[in-house]
Amino acid sequence: MPARAPPRHPLPPLSLPPSPPPLLLLLLLLTLGGRPLRAEPGDGVQTWARFAHPPAPEAAGLLHDTFPDGFHWAVGSAAYQTEGAWRQHGKGASVWDTFTHHPAASPDVPPAAGPPSGSAPPATGDVASDGYHNVYRDTEGLRELGVTHYRFSISWARVLPNGRAGAPNREGLRYYRRLLERLRELGVRPVVTLNHWDLPQRLQDAYGGWANRALADLFRDYAELCFRHFGGQVKHWITIDNPYVVAWHGYATGRLAPGVRGGPRLGYLAAHNLLLAHAKVWHLYNTSFRPTQRGWVSIALSSHWVNPRRMNDHGVRECQKSLDFVLGWFAKPIFIDGDYPESMKNNLSSLLPDFTESEKRLIKGTADFFALSFGPTLSFQLLDPRMKFQQLESPSLRPLLSWVDLEYNHPPIFIVENGWFVSGTTKRDDAKYMYYLKKFVMETLKAIRLDGVHVIGYTAWSLMDGFEWHRGYSIRRGLFYVDFLSPDKKLLPKSSALFYQKLIERNGFPPSPENQPLEGTFPCDFAWGTVDNNIQVDATPSQFTDPNVYLWDVHGSKRLIRVDGLVAETREASCADLAALRPQTALLRDLRVSHFHFALDWALLLPLGNQSLVNRTVLRFYRCLASELVRANVTPVVALWPPGPAPRGLPRALARQGAWENPRTVLAFAEYARLCFQELGHLVKLWITLSPPATRSLTLGAGHNLLRAHARAWRLYDREFRRAQGGQVSIALQADWVEPACPSSPRDREVAERVLEFDVGWLAEPIFGSGDYPRAMRDWLGQRGGSLLPYFTEEEKQLIQGAFDFLAVSHYTTTLVDWEKEDPAKYNEYLQVQEMTDTTWLYSPGHVAVVPWGLRRVLSWLKFKYGDLPMYVLSNGIDDDLLAAQDKLRVYYIQSYVNEALKAYLLDGVNLRGYFVYSLSDRTAPKFGLYRYAANQFEPKTSVKHYREIIDNNGFPGAGNLERICPEEFITCTKCSFFDNRKNLLVFIAFLLFAFIISLSLIFYYSKKGRSYK
């Protein structure tokens, strides 16, 4: 687990704690490692450098940990979006009532979209979710979720119809008392917003709304009414929601209510008055109500996040300026010094109002916690593009939390609005929303545990579907589905609600046996291997096979000169003469694998597609490769036709004649297989007939002929070669896992099974199952009336069914599927399935998801479908950054996937016989190799050491089981290859040495004999 940041603050209680003594502050400072408790404006600029480099793989994905005890789990809603009853029981009109009823009053502003069912625009909040009449319904939703807090807003116009203090609307007060009483019964604590954009229309008409500073006092009077009537039950107050949107789009651009297009000057003036209004309410509460009610008051500030286009000083400064202009506009006056950010003052000059010194003192420090809003309301929709300063917006919550922590004195942060949206046509399986929710909650957890940010609560937005402001009913943001046309408007939990309920119940993502590594080992005869699907055929002989005689021109050209007409005695060619084989076998010895999977090139071996022309040089190369592997104690696993997009690897003559669409290719493949079995079968004991490309790139006809070709090859081996050679033959399947995006949804489970049948079952079912295509596949295509699956004859079914000795799969990643059409770009019309990703997953540079548990699930699914068959994971690997000094991602990938394979073997009873890493080197598979390749040299990456360690341990033995379980086998010395590949030379040197010794002996003998005669 990644290292945690030390906690700095306890979660705030429901009442204000007494000021900590100096000793406690000193201990807290020591806990922070000397980190100052006061921030300076601009300290947040450090955030971009902190997150500039990608984290370690184990920290980049899902963090299995929990939130602090007492963490506030909340859900929220806003009055105008959900209450309805817009003019019932004495309620006055709000600016949003007017704005939606009279869109013509705001030219150039498009009307909100109506419900997707076809009700007439413009859409309004007149009824919305009808929360006013359904207090029990709404609070039952809270009980189902299990939240600790509920954020809602009070409609100013419902309690004070004309906006001014005086005789309040008793029906309005009674409604909110009833809601608060119901929350008390459920043990749910309220977080109450005084104004969520719905200013009374009377105040807009009489004063010009927030453009008039008189509203600050009127808002103070309204707040006092709420504190007196509800303060005894409310401990968290929000004065104003998202003042940026209210000021800028309400009074500058006119995009939102009240629709005033007053330009930037009026927008900045409205924001000025909003800040003064907030400050006056905070001081009112602090002076008159806090001593008895002991609550907390803040303002909900919304923000976006931006990353620099270029990671340099200028780019980072522009990002800092962007946050200053949106979040700092309101946060710096409140949390730092009572004044606007310097970047705004320097760039806006006369447009920005000035605070007096007394106003600065009034505003500074008027928040008891930092109430942060983050999501689509501002990001990507209502953020003025000019305020991004040409930088890149990103939906990243974690760095924003870190920025707020650094910029504003490490305040306690309550995320009071967060979530995403789905299409208005999406009903209860809101997978897109659910995975954004998961992403944001995970980023919050990492901010707490890894970055030390003091986040005290999280609010999912929103409780139910409602009126979504300028988007009307064209999108949905609720955890509960509402049918806006139904009379009763029941709340129906969506997939996101079920997810959030479980999240709250578990208080995060706690470690469990399912997501923790397993200790254990594989069987002693487990096949540890690696793959090279593109072996480079190099039959170039070494210099020692040249029969010519050369003289060295010492005094002239300094070169070897061939002597014409003089030839040395030759010897038979040897596999040791092929220089290309030495580095290959040396790498395998170094890696210590027991198996090596490679593919033959049909087009090289049989250029014409049949045995009328056999490339004997290529055949000899493959024979020597297999022979050298056997000599090195490495078992060759040979594929006759390699993976890749068709017609790769096919002889040109066959490719021109329709490739796998042509039934003649089936017969040609059987003839080709016969040649390979005859020439290589005495060396190869594991054969793969076909490693087909992903089935989605196959036509129905090509897939049909691939199955027939495999069956003919298998039957041929079984009939003519198995008895003498004793090998095994099968087909390799591409088997990535497909997970239902909403596991609780029957329809998502149905589409996931459909995709698996098309992706895997298409080729697997005829061989390993019934001898025919999957019934679900044939039914689906029949219903759609398009292309029909070909039919096998009874004879072909008998030929294909059972044509295997083991089940081999290639597995790399996992995808999510959903039945709801949300993103047309990723919607598969053929299968009527929405493909999507989980943004909390780890991704490779090539955007491949790293999902180790997907391997375990696909192996278990295959066992469930086809029985207890011997299985091999024949190819499993990931791309990585070629320029990275260490391939940390590959290290993590191999360890995680092998461990999931171990779980499948030990826990699920899968008869797993082997695991192969893809690929051996970058030479033939750039970015995927265990070894780098440059300048004709191979260099081991970090992953080699880790994979070798797994092989040596035969898995992951526990601390109490470190001794070798398997008996020692013959292990070839890795340095012996130098001698093995030079035996002829060594014999010649030994002969010369022997002759030299004999000569010396004779010289010594005769010299001694000569002296004796004298």
Side-chain angles (χ1 to χ4, degrees):
M1 180 181 293
R4 292 189 181 190
R8 288 202 299 269
H9 314 273
L11 290 176
L14 293 179
S15 59
L16 283 173
S19 299
L23 178 59
L24 180 57
L25 290 177
L26 178 60
L27 291 174
L28 181 58
L29 184 61
L30 291 175
T31 303
L32 294 174
R35 184 176 181 178
L37 290 176
R38 294 294 300 169
E40 294 295 331
D43 279 2
V45 78
Q46 306 169 34
T47 308
W48 285 278
R50 175 184 292 183
F51 290 96
H53 302 290
E58 57 271 15
L62 200 66
L63 175 63
H64 294 289
D65 206 338
T66 57
F67 285 83
D69 293 339
F71 190 76
H72 302 340
W73 290 106
V75 68
S77 66
Y80 186 76
Q81 291 183 280
T82 60
E83 281 184 5
W86 76 287
R87 56 182 179 184
Q88 292 183 23
H89 299 165
K91 178 187 176 295
S94 74
V95 292
W96 271 94
D97 290 319
T98 304
F99 187 73
T100 56
H101 290 163
H102 305 287
S106 304
D108 303 327
V109 180
S117 55
S119 61
T124 70
D126 292 358
V127 179
S129 314
D130 200 23
Y132 182 78
H133 298 106
N134 289 282
V135 170
Y136 185 82
R137 176 204 68 177
D138 295 350
T139 53
E140 276 299 289
L142 301 176
R143 185 185 60 78
E144 287 184 41
L145 291 174
V147 294
T148 61
H149 291 68
Y150 175 46
R151 182 190 172 198
F152 66 92
S153 70
I154 295 174
S155 171
W156 189 346
R158 192 176 295 282
V159 296
L160 293 174
N162 63 7
R164 289 184 289 268
N169 178 14
R170 295 188 179 278
E171 290 297 323
L173 293 176
R174 185 177 293 113
Y175 164 69
Y176 292 111
R177 284 199 199 98
R178 191 164 68 250
L179 174 58
L180 288 169
E181 179 59 25
R182 176 63 179 156
L183 294 179
R184 187 190 66 78
E185 293 173 1
L186 295 175
V188 175
R189 286 162 279 180
V191 180
V192 179
T193 305
L194 294 172
N195 182 239
H196 199 124
W197 305 10
D198 50 349
L199 181 73
Q201 183 63 39
R202 293 281 186 89
L203 300 184
Q204 182 65 33
D205 295 338
Y207 296 93
W210 290 110
N212 192 325
R213 67 185 299 137
L215 250 69
D217 291 324
L218 294 173
F219 184 60
R220 179 189 179 280
D221 295 341
Y222 159 60
E224 183 174 8
L225 173 73
C226 293
F227 293 154
R228 291 190 185 282
H229 280 272
F230 311 125
Q233 294 174 274
V234 179
K235 302 305 179 185
H236 289 86
W237 291 96
I238 303 292
T239 56
I240 299 164
D241 181 84
N242 204 340
Y244 169 90
V245 169
V246 174
W248 193 252
H249 291 303
Y251 294 88
T253 70
R255 288 186 63 189
L256 303 180
V260 179
R261 296 183 296 123
R265 185 181 300 277
L266 192 64
Y268 290 121
L269 178 61
H272 200 75
N273 294 331
L274 284 163
L275 280 165
L276 291 173
H278 158 75
K280 288 188 176 186
V281 170
W282 187 90
H283 283 287
L284 167 68
Y285 188 87
N286 194 53
T287 302
S288 304
F289 295 95
R290 193 188 303 277
T292 56
Q293 295 181 0
R294 308 290 287 175
W296 299 66
V297 180
S298 190
I299 182 172
L301 302 180
S302 185
S303 186
H304 62 307
W305 181 252
V306 286
N307 288 316
R309 288 186 181 272
R310 294 184 178 179
M311 191 61 193
N312 53 32
D313 289 344
H314 172 74
V316 171
R317 285 196 302 270
E318 292 299 285
C319 288
Q320 179 78 7
K321 188 195 302 183
S322 178
L323 289 182
D324 281 346
F325 269 64
V326 178
L327 181 56
W329 183 4
F330 302 94
K332 182 175 175 289
I334 294 171
F335 289 91
I336 300 295
D337 58 8
D339 203 358
Y340 295 118
E342 289 300 317
S343 60
M344 294 186 71
K345 293 164 67 175
N346 294 337
N347 283 273
L348 299 175
S349 60
S350 60
L351 289 176
L352 199 64
D354 292 322
F355 288 116
T356 65
E357 290 303 315
S358 62
E359 287 174 338
K360 291 179 182 179
R361 291 192 294 272
L362 178 75
I363 294 172
K364 179 182 177 182
T366 55
D368 302 318
F369 57 95
F370 199 109
L372 179 65
S373 172
F374 183 78
T377 299
L378 179 58
S379 292
F380 300 99
Q381 291 188 25
L382 294 177
L383 176 63
D384 192 311
R386 293 170 294 180
M387 294 184 182
K388 290 191 285 190
F389 297 99
Q390 300 181 347
Q391 304 310 304
L392 301 174
E393 193 171 1
S394 170
S396 301
L397 178 57
R398 180 183 173 187
L400 176 62
L401 291 170
S402 183
W403 187 88
V404 169
D405 179 66
L406 291 169
E407 189 80 4
Y408 301 119
N409 303 322
H410 325 300
I413 302 172
F414 195 160
I415 300 170
V416 293
E417 177 181 347
N418 183 235
W420 208 246
F421 63 92
V422 293
S423 166
T425 60
T426 300
K427 292 182 171 56
R428 297 179 62 182
D429 291 334
D430 57 339
K432 176 183 173 182
Y433 179 97
M434 182 177 72
Y435 284 103
Y436 267 103
L437 181 64
K438 180 182 178 184
K439 162 189 163 67
F440 291 136
V441 174
M442 175 52 59
E443 290 188 356
T444 303
L445 179 62
K446 289 182 177 181
I448 295 171
R449 295 305 190 191
L450 305 184
D451 307 331
V453 180
H454 183 33
V455 184
I456 64 173
Y458 178 89
T459 305
W461 199 270
S462 62
L463 172 63
M464 70 198 85
D465 293 332
F467 175 78
E468 291 300 333
W469 309 114
H470 62 298
R471 301 292 294 273
Y473 297 99
S474 65
I475 64 171
R476 294 176 180 268
R477 297 188 64 194
L479 294 172
F480 286 84
Y481 173 80
V482 176
D483 182 351
F484 296 110
L485 298 182
S486 67
D488 54 0
K489 293 181 174 53
K490 293 180 180 179
L491 296 192
L492 302 176
K494 301 181 186 179
S495 296
S496 57
L498 301 178
F499 167 79
Y500 197 46
Q501 184 271 328
K502 290 181 180 178
L503 183 72
I504 295 171
E505 182 181 301
R506 298 168 181 168
N507 198 34
F509 307 89
S512 69
E514 288 292 313
N515 57 47
Q516 295 301 297
L518 178 69
E519 293 180 348
T521 57
F522 291 94
C524 293
D525 60 349
F526 195 75
W528 293 105
T530 186
V531 186
D532 190 338
N533 284 323
N534 296 286
I535 288 285
Q536 301 295 311
V537 177
D538 183 0
T540 304
S542 64
Q543 59 179 325
F544 299 107
T545 62
D546 188 350
N548 294 296
V549 177
Y550 296 85
L551 291 177
W552 187 8
D553 186 4
V554 179
H555 302 290
S557 65
K558 308 291 186 181
R559 295 180 179 178
L560 290 173
I561 301 175
R562 185 164 62 87
V563 179
D564 293 333
L566 188 58
V567 179
E569 184 178 349
T570 59
R571 57 169 174 78
E572 290 186 6
S574 169
C575 289
D577 298 334
L578 299 180
L581 298 181
R582 297 173 193 158
Q584 195 90 28
T585 53
L587 294 184
L588 297 171
R589 291 172 187 268
D590 178 61
L591 191 56
R592 296 206 277 270
V593 291
S594 62
H595 290 64
F596 179 52
H597 175 41
F598 66 94
L600 307 179
D601 192 323
W602 185 359
L604 279 180
L605 272 170
L606 300 179
L608 300 181
N610 54 54
Q611 294 195 36
S612 64
L613 178 60
V614 179
N615 190 328
R616 295 291 171 181
T617 302
V618 173
L619 183 59
R620 176 174 173 269
F621 175 85
Y622 287 135
R623 187 187 298 114
C624 284
L625 174 58
S627 175
E628 291 300 300
L629 290 173
V630 172
R631 279 159 48 91
N633 208 28
V634 176
T635 301
V637 182
V638 180
L640 298 177
W641 190 63
R648 178 184 174 274
L650 282 178
R652 185 175 301 178
L654 297 177
R656 287 175 176 175
Q657 296 173 10
W660 286 108
E661 296 287 347
N662 190 336
R664 293 183 180 179
T665 306
V666 175
L667 302 176
F669 182 77
E671 184 178 354
Y672 162 58
R674 180 186 298 277
L675 172 70
C676 296
F677 296 154
Q678 286 174 340
E679 298 292 337
L680 305 176
H682 63 290
L683 297 169
V684 178
K685 303 306 176 187
L686 287 173
W687 290 97
I688 300 296
T689 56
L690 303 162
S691 295
T695 51
R696 296 189 190 187
S697 65
L698 285 176
T699 65
L700 297 178
H704 197 71
N705 287 329
L706 281 170
L707 286 165
R708 295 167 65 210
H710 158 75
R712 283 180 175 272
W714 190 89
R715 298 294 175 185
L716 170 68
Y717 189 88
D718 189 57
R719 184 176 60 251
E720 299 183 18
F721 298 97
R722 187 186 302 277
R723 184 184 300 274
Q725 296 178 0
Q728 293 184 324
V729 183
S730 194
I731 188 173
L733 304 172
Q734 176 77 30
D736 288 333
W737 180 242
V738 180
E739 180 77 4
C742 300
S744 59
S745 166
R747 296 190 68 175
D748 275 9
R749 293 197 298 270
E750 177 186 335
V751 297
E753 189 68 21
R754 181 191 309 150
V755 175
L756 282 170
E757 292 288 11
F758 271 80
D759 284 359
V760 184
W762 180 0
L763 300 181
E765 179 64 24
I767 299 171
F768 303 96
S770 65
D772 200 359
Y773 294 113
R775 171 54 56 186
M777 187 178 178
R778 194 176 291 282
D779 290 346
W780 176 258
L781 293 176
Q783 292 168 10
R784 293 179 59 80
S787 300
L788 295 180
L789 273 174
Y791 284 88
F792 295 114
T793 66
E794 289 302 319
E795 182 182 355
E796 287 177 330
K797 289 181 181 180
Q798 294 176 9
L799 184 77
I800 295 171
Q801 186 179 23
F804 68 89
D805 296 308
F806 54 89
L807 197 162
V809 297
S810 298
H811 174 89
Y812 304 99
T813 189
T814 292
T815 57
L816 297 172
V817 293
D818 181 26
W819 73 273
E820 291 267 22
K821 185 175 183 178
E822 185 70 33
D823 182 0
K826 295 182 178 179
Y827 188 76
N828 185 329
E829 293 285 355
Y830 182 64
L831 295 178
Q832 293 187 359
V833 60
Q834 178 72 62
E835 298 177 353
M836 59 189 308
T837 57
D838 182 344
T839 52
T840 65
W841 287 347
L842 176 63
Y843 288 85
S844 74
H847 305 290
V848 176
V850 179
V851 192
W853 50 260
L855 174 59
R856 179 183 177 186
R857 294 193 184 181
V858 78
L859 292 174
S860 298
W861 183 82
L862 288 167
K863 179 189 175 186
F864 172 78
K865 290 284 291 185
Y866 305 118
D868 189 22
L869 306 178
M871 297 187 199
Y872 290 84
V873 178
L874 206 57
S875 186
N876 179 242
I878 195 71
D879 65 289
D880 209 342
D881 186 356
L882 275 176
L883 302 179
Q886 297 180 326
D887 58 340
K888 294 180 180 179
L889 176 59
R890 184 168 294 103
V891 171
Y892 174 80
Y893 184 96
I894 292 174
Q895 289 182 331
S896 302
Y897 274 78
V898 173
N899 198 263
E900 290 297 321
L902 181 67
K903 292 177 183 177
Y905 170 68
L906 291 179
L907 304 181
D908 305 333
V910 174
N911 186 8
L912 191 61
R913 298 291 184 86
Y915 172 88
F916 293 67
V917 169
Y918 179 81
S919 166
L920 178 61
S921 76
D922 288 336
R923 182 183 183 186
T924 56
K927 301 182 181 180
F928 283 86
L930 293 164
Y931 290 84
R932 289 186 183 85
Y933 180 77
N936 279 338
Q937 297 293 322
F938 293 95
E939 177 189 353
K941 300 180 185 178
T942 308
S943 53
V944 168
K945 174 185 175 184
H946 289 269
Y947 187 39
R948 187 192 295 140
E949 183 178 333
I950 293 173
I951 294 172
D952 289 345
N953 290 326
N954 202 35
F956 305 90
N961 188 28
L962 292 179
E963 70 277 3
R964 289 185 65 89
I965 300 175
C966 299
E968 288 283 350
E969 295 183 2
F970 171 72
I971 300 176
T972 307
C973 171
T974 57
K975 297 180 180 179
C976 297
S977 59
F978 176 87
F979 302 101
D980 288 343
N981 295 327
R982 294 167 175 80
K983 286 185 177 180
N984 294 329
L985 176 62
L986 293 174
V987 169
F988 178 67
I989 293 174
F991 172 75
L992 291 178
L993 182 61
F994 176 75
F996 178 71
I997 294 172
I998 294 297
S999 299
L1000 283 180
S1001 301
L1002 290 173
I1003 293 171
F1004 177 75
Y1005 172 75
Y1006 283 108
S1007 62
K1008 184 177 179 182
K1009 186 174 182 181
R1011 285 196 300 270
S1012 65
Y1013 285 133
K1014 294 179 181 180

